[in-house]
Amino acid sequence: MSQGRDRGGRPRSEPARAAVLWAVDDLLAKVGYAAMTMKGIAELAGVSRMTVYRWWSTKAEILFEASALDAEEELTVPPDDDPFEDVTRYLEALHYFLTRSHAGAAYRALLGEAQHDPAVAALLAGRDILGDTARAVVSRVAPDADHDRATALLIGPMFFWILSGRDPARIDPADLARTFLAQISPDSRVDG
Amino acid sequence: MSQGRDRGGRPRSEPARAAVLWAVDDLLAKVGYAAMTMKGIAELAGVSRMTVYRWWSTKAEILFEASALDAEEELTVPPDDDPFEDVTRYLEALHYFLTRSHAGAAYRALLGEAQHDPAVAALLAGRDILGDTARAVVSRVAPDADHDRATALLIGPMFFWILSGRDPARIDPADLARTFLAQISPDSRVDG
Amino acid sequence: MSQGRDRGGRPRSEPARAAVLWAVDDLLAKVGYAAMTMKGIAELAGVSRMTVYRWWSTKAEILFEASALDAEEELTVPPDDDPFEDVTRYLEALHYFLTRSHAGAAYRALLGEAQHDPAVAALLAGRDILGDTARAVVSRVAPDADHDRATALLIGPMFFWILSGRDPARIDPADLARTFLAQISPDSRVDG
Amino acid sequence: MSQGRDRGGRPRSEPARAAVLWAVDDLLAKVGYAAMTMKGIAELAGVSRMTVYRWWSTKAEILFEASALDAEEELTVPPDDDPFEDVTRYLEALHYFLTRSHAGAAYRALLGEAQHDPAVAALLAGRDILGDTARAVVSRVAPDADHDRATALLIGPMFFWILSGRDPARIDPADLARTFLAQISPDSRVDG
DNA sequence: TACTAATCGAGACGGTACGTCCCGTCTTTGG
DNA sequence: CCAAAGACGGGACGTACCGTCTCGATTAGTA
């Protein structure tokens, strides 16, 4: 099952890998994404700079590896029989994720970088965390809807509100959930 | 009427100012935001590096000054008696702005930077281009609605779709306009 | 008697000139020659930078103008009938000049600069402060000696001792005076 | 026998070190000490600026390292049974050193800088090239004399003559040697 | 029990942008 | 014509991080 040839040689140091992932997370919180450097990560991890470059190309890659799992977990809500509750729980999780979560801070930093760095954009496109988790909710509460359109309607308002720097307290997950459910129920459609 | 009389000293060079603003715009298109440097801007503008630093602190400030006016203009649509047309025109302008416009590329770069640079966030907060132009539309088609909530619903889906790197062709301004109008008309509200 | 045409126009500001000369002296003591800049001089003098450049080309020129008179005065000793006393008084003045005097610090700085700046070397060559004052002593105590050779023998040892950074306390003007007088009296010459 | 074991790390590049020392020497001759810059040295040596700063703090340090050995060699004269010849050869070497030698030009530049830069003064104090070489001569021709005093008498006159910018042709090593020997022989001393 | 081969740390290397400082000049207003 | 003010192009400063490159020292699996 093991991939890669492994013909002799010293195996990759797992402690080093873990230390780097931990360090990148720690630095994001302490100094912010912009001030985070490959050099700083290596030093905080107590690892040679060469070792970092051997396994990752950019700080974005490290940060993504360090936070993707957490992000997916935080945005996965247990199914609820009541669609309104289901959607509300998801939007509450999204609100927490975008404003208070550690993994969410990493996501915002990466999405910000993706606006002007195609490599980071490609990295994020490879694993659509927000889209996947939203689609899971959509397929439960509106299995027949256009999933892409529904995802945009579900995530969009809160995403815009928070990423454009508005006061997170002034947006209400329950209200958005109600609006979303009204929007995707066919009878509420206004025909052109 | 002008305050702050020019008490001595050589006046600021308008050609230099214009050259810097032009250079920053040119560089954004040619090399991208990340590869844009204060040094590069100064050299392309044919201006001393000191002169750039004298008037702006960061490339973000220059870029903002260079693009804010254009952005506001591009997102201002003429009123239309038909609300659907009015909103659709705005969303079309927004779509163009976020995907193809020069000023929009600047906005995306700045908003990206704002995710991990409080100074840039403050800069953008000072002039809410998207919010202001959206509010203008909202106050025409739904003067009684909560403007903040309506703005989020209007802009959010397209904003999310494009900034999260999805295919811009797969989102339809007219459809979003219809959905938006259905939602903000009081009679379509679902009461809690 | 006034030289220069003086055809109208505002006359040179004497307060400004004095302020610059004072400032250059003050700065030499406070920050040292190397850290002294034209900008700093102008600011301390409360004078426009342009005004400094209008009348002097370099800080060396200003410093020379500010200290030459004082230097000449400090190194001029009153004649004494006893040659030993005469020479000793001169060497004591020279010792004080090179180690403790304000004007002497300026001289050392300029002579240092002259080692690698021909312009400063030319400036110093224009007014031979040490040579002139030493020659005055020599012409009193040994009017028939070769004045150049005598000057070198008189000044050289102390000049070398102090400028090469040795402890000034370990050199004795009286001893040097005695040695000098022995050297320049013909009967002490050892024929080759 | 070598202490300081090489515990990891790429070893210092000897070619880089040599290139810098060569460059500093070349620049001193070509553009002079004042116009010599760390940037210029690095560029001429084909070496990164950081590499220069890693090993030296100032151009003075580099110049000192580049010229001290040569200086010591140039000022070391072979012993001669005839004291007059011995001293004359030394003074001739000193004359050449101060007026025509490459290493001597470096020494003059450094001694000049030392007049207003304590760091350079300390640098020169650490290796007393003139003093050491002169003391070697003194201990041969006048082992019983006060070496410090004798050094000042030996070097001083020529040192002053040349560093104060006088015509080097008008000073005669043989004459100075004769005068010096007459002075330091105990029997020629004038008692106080 | 060696040998092999990739990893690890350490740290120097050339390169480049940073933001600051001073240079000497120029261009205003105002005495 | 001079002076103060202050912006201008130029260029060196010393620092930081980039990504690459030797090094010696480890640390498995393989022979």
Side-chain angles (χ1 to χ4, degrees), chain C residues 99-191:
Chain C
T99 57
R100 264 179 276 283
S101 153
H102 219 172
Y107 175 81
R108 281 181 63 168
L110 291 172
L111 187 123
E113 203 73 349
Q115 301 310 313
H116 49 72
D117 185 337
V120 179
L123 187 69
L124 287 183
R127 173 117 75 123
D128 181 10
I129 296 170
L130 254 57
D132 288 350
T133 55
R135 251 186 301 276
V137 176
V138 166
S139 61
R140 287 200 299 264
V141 300
D144 301 329
D146 174 342
H147 282 200
D148 282 342
R149 178 177 170 277
T151 296
L153 294 174
L154 174 59
I155 294 178
M158 182 175 287
F159 181 93
F160 162 73
W161 194 261
I162 294 171
L163 269 71
S164 66
R166 288 165 167 76
D167 179 6
R170 296 190 51 223
I171 193 155
D172 175 19
D175 175 55
L176 287 180
R178 227 173 348 252
T179 307
F180 168 72
L181 288 170
Q183 285 174 325
I184 58 155
S185 46
D187 50 65
S188 76
R189 293 285 292 279
V190 178
D191 263 283

Side-chain angles (χ1 to χ4, degrees), chain C residues 28 32-35 105 107-117 124-125 128 130-132 135 146-149 151-153 155-166 170-171 175-176 178-180 182-183 188-192, chain D residues 32-34 84 105 107-117 124-125 128 130-132 135 146 148-149 151-153 155-166 170-171 175-176 178-183 185 188-192:
Chain C
L28 180 67
Y33 182 79
Y107 175 81
R108 281 181 63 168
L110 291 172
L111 187 123
E113 203 73 349
Q115 301 310 313
H116 49 72
D117 185 337
L124 287 183
D128 181 10
L130 254 57
D132 288 350
R135 251 186 301 276
D146 174 342
H147 282 200
D148 282 342
R149 178 177 170 277
T151 296
L153 294 174
I155 294 178
M158 182 175 287
F159 181 93
F160 162 73
W161 194 261
I162 294 171
L163 269 71
S164 66
R166 288 165 167 76
R170 296 190 51 223
I171 193 155
D175 175 55
L176 287 180
R178 227 173 348 252
T179 307
F180 168 72
Q183 285 174 325
S188 76
R189 293 285 292 279
V190 178
D191 263 283
Chain D
Y33 182 80
F84 172 71
Y107 176 81
R108 283 181 61 168
L110 291 173
L111 188 122
E113 203 73 349
Q115 302 310 312
H116 47 72
D117 185 336
L124 287 183
D128 182 9
L130 254 57
D132 287 351
R135 252 188 299 276
D146 174 342
D148 282 342
R149 178 176 170 279
T151 296
L153 294 175
I155 295 179
M158 182 175 287
F159 182 92
F160 162 72
W161 194 261
I162 293 170
L163 269 70
S164 66
R166 288 166 167 76
R170 296 188 53 222
I171 194 156
D175 174 54
L176 286 181
R178 217 163 7 240
T179 308
F180 169 74
L181 287 169
Q183 192 44 42
S185 345
S188 76
R189 293 287 289 280
V190 177
D191 264 282

Side-chain angles (χ1 to χ4, degrees), chain A residues 92-109:
Chain A
E92 281 169 354
L94 180 61
H95 192 270
Y96 174 84
F97 177 74
L98 291 177
T99 57
R100 263 179 277 283
S101 152
H102 219 172
Y107 176 80
R108 282 181 63 168

Side-chain angles (χ1 to χ4, degrees), chain B residues 52-138:
Chain B
V52 179
Y53 282 112
R54 211 191 314 275
W55 302 109
W56 299 277
S57 294
T58 62
K59 58 179 177 177
E61 266 183 38
I62 314 177
L63 191 54
F64 186 71
E65 179 170 339
S67 64
L69 271 180
D70 285 350
E72 201 138 342
E73 193 171 315
E74 289 182 22
L75 289 172
T76 302
V77 295
D80 191 305
D81 285 343
D82 180 357
F84 172 72
E85 284 296 323
D86 207 342
V87 171
T88 302
R89 293 299 155 262
Y90 179 72
L91 287 175
E92 282 169 353
L94 180 61
H95 192 270
Y96 174 84
F97 177 75
L98 290 178
T99 56
R100 263 179 277 283
S101 152
H102 219 171
Y107 176 81
R108 283 181 62 167
L110 291 173
L111 188 123
E113 203 73 348
Q115 301 310 313
H116 48 72
D117 186 337
V120 179
L123 187 68
L124 288 183
R127 172 117 77 124
D128 182 10
I129 296 171
L130 256 57
D132 288 350
T133 55
R135 252 188 300 276
V137 176
V138 166

